[in-house]
Amino acid sequence: MSHYPTVYKSQNDHRQYQYRVLSNQLRVLLVEDMQSNQAAASMAVGVGHFDDPVERPGMAHFLEHMLFLGTEKYPDSGEYHAYINQHGGNNNAWTGTEHTNFFYSINADALEGSLDRFSQFFIAPKFDLDLVDRERQAIESEFSLKLKDDIRRVYQVQKETVNPKHPFSKFSVGNLATLAGKQADIRDELLAFYQQHYSANIMTLCVVAPRPIAELEQIVNQYFSGIQNRNVSKHYPAQPLLAKEQQQKHIQIVPLKDQKRVSICFALPAIDQFYKRKPLTFISHLLGNESPGSLLSYLKIQGLANNLSAGGGVNGYNFKDYSISIQLTDKGFNELEEVVTCVFEYIELIKQHGLDAWRYQERASLLDTAFRFQEQIKTLDLASHLSINMHHYDIEDIIYGDYRMDEMLKHETQELLSLMSADNMRLMTVAKESQVERQAAWYDTPYKVSSIPTEQLKKWARVTTRPALKLPEKNPFIVANPQARADKSHSTVPKIVAEGHGYRIWHKKDDEFNVPKGHLYLSLDSDQASSTPRQAALTRLYVEMLIDYLTEPTYQAEVAGLNYNIYPHQGGITLHLTGFTGNQEKLLTLIINKARERNFTEQRFNMIKKQILRSWSNVAQAKPISQLFTSLTVTLQKRSFEPARMAEELAALTLEDLHNHVSAFYKKVYLEGLVYGDWLEQETQNLGKRLQHLLSLVTKPSAESSRELVNLDKRGSLLREKTITHQDSAIIVYYQSRAATPEQMALFSLLNHTMSSTFFHELRTKQQLGYMVGTGYLPLNRHPGIIFYVQSPTTGPRQLLEAIDEFIADFNYAVMQITNEQWESTKQGMISQIMENDTNLKTRSQRYWVSLGNRDYQFNQRETVVAEVMKLTRADLIKFMVAHMRSKDCDRLVLFSCGEQHHSQASLRSDNMIVNLKTFKEQADKFQF
């Protein structure tokens, strides 16, 4: 092997990395991770929908699907998926513009078997003739699934309004129409496409495993040297994304969801060349700033906008479509000219006064600190991310490339800023009120393209920055040289360090991940939070108002890596703070003081209220299966309500109602907190005292709020239909455990684990019922449960339920046929998933916080569930299914919606329908928690 540069890694990274090139020119990154109990692999192929033949849109995507369905060595179409699942893993793939990525994770002891199967995708795929038509249907289902997805609908308009000679203009997904023809002909085309484009020299492989590098090298050589090197070289057309005739246009689009936004887009060159200096990251950092005087702050004060992001937009081999995207108010939409003027004024301000070395250095040092204290991610995410990075960065920068920010070259930054001009611009507005005159292909998106008047362009080209717009000040939250403290923890799990009537604080000092960061969770329970739809709507409104009110004073803290999130739940609200510990308490104090001010204005109240109402009404445009998932929790949890029901209440509420609600909310609260990370016990105790003092000023102590769950025992097969306007039908079948014990958690988890890949293979791959097909272990309010779900473009709910029932009835036989070895392997696979090592501070803190929510005060629920899994036999599974799942009258909840195309099919009806949800929930027996 030749010598390659060393891959530069964070001081905080325990993994070992080595870059190799195999004899067939396959580029490989080997990652030795001795702390993981999982392995992962990812192959990134330099082929995407830009490579699709003009007459066959969607071919690269179709090929991605077909590679999973059997190889010469492993011909069974469901074998790969079943092997990964049996050994505690996950797998997926995606097709992008210029790359296709295949990736999976698995128990470390099954690494060789998985690599053997995986490598065959790229050596000898079978392209089974019988499966061509079946998988075409899967592509059609995937296409159908997104027909009402505004992101996909807007994306199609983008494609139609760029240079038609550029490959970005191609329809990327494919469907039955684009993949039409005889099966045999399509198979021949697939094979030809594969042989023309799939070549070892444009592939990058990343393998992560708890094995020594030398061993990984040997294994990878063994399995991947057989991939053919066809010496493919990439030649995309040297056409600009936007020719002159596509520039200076205003594109108006009508969405399905109610929204108003504008994207101001500039055509820039390809960005890979800039990665070592990241000038666009720096420009976006200034444009997207949200502190006082910033572009967004000014637009908010003027009542023109609610949100802004800079730097998005598509990019590729010869283009970057740089986008400044602004969420507009009604006023902002009507005064679009003024909004765009403000944007150009701020760009001018950056050109004139923003290119100071200290500003660039501030951003660069934040990235450098993030790299130095980089937290590990899951093996699957790491493998996938690095295999893609290998296509974009130099060898030594495969990891560091995302963080590298060497220096600002003024001329380079000025050149990019000069391209952010009126003559190099396109405007795209998305709003229901848009004036349109045509429809986009495939998704029928209504839109219109018009030229921006020359006079207007001239005005935007000669702006003078108004005094109210200001560049950000120096950031006071940046910690110069953060260091993790060496103090060891005195306990193996969190313990209570501060407790009193109505509050309890848990703490654990981290001494494993060695980063100067902390996670603070503070949950406030109040009986006034969500007992009624009105209270739930007011609590959500309070949280959104608070987040909006905090945006400006906390923005610099967020930039400095101190983040927070506030969210409502069944019992109240939770505040979660993350980031570097040096200034965490400073941020917490700021948030608490601002929260106590509650200085909400009528103007912001009306805007936020309108935003929430818009988002709740837009729920009706979500995928049917997503709407059913929302309805599942709403049907079963006493304190969860349909968005439409909360919207009815919210519409009539006033600012006075909100202030009254906040006062009522804080009258009696219960506080539970967790502090985990680089916090010392004494510091946490002091924090507990301060919080307790603050609470004593505004509230009386209270007990925890109850979380009640509808008990389905002896209710039979309950049906609830949702009316959803969509061409697809959807169904969720939910079985609930009768007890929240470790035995039941083990049983339901293992049942789901054993069934999931077979269910997917049977209903999606074989029967082609839909693209969204699966099972899931779903605990609600601590109660174990299992769900089966399908969204189908071809089949109505009655037939879907019959297919699910038939699968469950037949599954006993499948379990009986499993060998002892397979059964033990399946159990071991699930145990590895449950016991997967926490990769970073975040996953560890989340696990501890969930344990507290589950009242698992020993923090050992994982271990107790695993002990129960070990005891389970196949007979236990079969006995449970026969007793609780085989009959059509067994206790369960069936949620469904009938697609517009399926009204002629036999309907799903029963005497046991939930007609009035409110009455059903009031009268039902409940589990108290």
Side-chain angles (χ1 to χ4, degrees), residues 830-841:
M830 201 192 91
I831 288 167
S832 284
Q833 272 186 346
I834 294 173
M835 297 303 294
E836 188 179 345
N837 294 343
D838 297 317
T839 45
N840 53 39
L841 208 64

Side-chain angles (χ1 to χ4, degrees), residues 524 526 528-529 539 572-573 660-669:
L524 287 170
S526 168
Q528 301 298 308
T539 300
I573 59 174
N660 292 338
H661 174 71
V662 174
S663 299
F665 181 100
Y666 282 108
K667 265 200 181 115
K668 288 174 82 175
V669 300

Side-chain angles (χ1 to χ4, degrees), residues 229-440:
N229 178 12
R230 298 184 169 96
N231 285 311
V232 167
S233 56
K234 305 296 290 180
H235 297 293
Y236 291 128
Q239 289 281 345
L241 179 71
L242 300 172
K244 195 134 189 71
E245 54 270 29
Q246 283 97 35
Q247 281 288 28
Q248 301 172 7
K249 301 293 183 198
H250 181 190
I251 301 154
Q252 298 181 70
I253 301 170
V254 175
L256 291 173
K257 288 185 174 179
D258 187 16
Q259 54 181 298
K260 288 185 176 68
R261 63 185 174 87
V262 61
S263 290
I264 302 155
C265 305
F266 303 105
L268 305 184
I271 57 174
D272 276 4
Q273 59 183 316
F274 303 124
Y275 87 81
K276 291 176 183 175
R277 296 174 301 282
K278 297 191 175 42
L280 286 177
T281 300
F282 173 58
I283 293 168
S284 304
H285 165 63
L286 296 177
L287 273 171
N289 197 282
E290 296 179 18
S291 47
S294 65
L295 176 57
L296 176 61
S297 172
Y298 179 78
L299 292 173
K300 272 182 165 181
I301 289 166
Q302 301 305 311
L304 299 168
N306 285 320
N307 224 315
L308 180 150
S309 65
V314 292
N315 64 82
Y317 70 100
N318 72 340
F319 66 95
K320 163 70 180 172
D321 186 41
Y322 186 94
S323 165
I324 300 164
S325 183
I326 304 171
Q327 190 186 77
L328 300 166
T329 60
D330 293 346
K331 182 185 177 194
F333 181 71
N334 293 328
E335 296 177 25
L336 184 64
E337 209 178 293
E338 171 68 358
V339 172
V340 180
T341 301
C342 290
V343 170
F344 278 115
E345 286 184 27
Y346 208 84
I347 290 170
E348 190 58 31
L349 180 63
I350 294 170
K351 284 181 189 173
Q352 300 300 328
H353 305 288
L355 303 187
D356 302 318
W358 71 264
R359 293 184 186 282
Y360 181 90
Q361 203 41 56
E362 200 174 76
R363 187 77 193 110
S365 65
L366 286 170
L367 272 183
D368 183 60
T369 303
F371 179 70
R372 277 198 296 139
F373 297 105
Q374 185 189 24
E375 291 197 67
Q376 301 308 308
I377 55 175
K378 288 189 171 181
T379 51
L380 179 67
D381 299 331
L382 181 77
S384 170
H385 185 68
L386 296 184
S387 68
I388 291 292
N389 277 7
M390 290 163 81
H391 286 266
H392 296 287
Y393 301 147
D394 295 345
I395 296 167
E396 58 269 36
D397 288 337
I398 292 170
I399 304 166
Y400 185 48
D402 296 334
Y403 301 87
R404 189 169 178 177
M405 210 163 159
D406 291 357
E407 60 176 334
M408 175 170 62
L409 298 183
K410 222 166 189 179
H411 66 89
E412 179 182 76
T413 313
Q414 282 167 333
E415 209 169 296
L416 289 167
L417 280 165
S418 72
L419 290 170
M420 296 181 188
S421 63
D423 61 349
N424 188 39
M425 172 191 70
R426 301 205 318 167
L427 278 183
M428 188 169 77
T429 49
V430 179
K432 293 263 193 185
E433 297 82 348
S434 300
Q435 304 297 308
V436 293
E437 59 187 17
R438 64 176 100 168
Q439 285 195 322

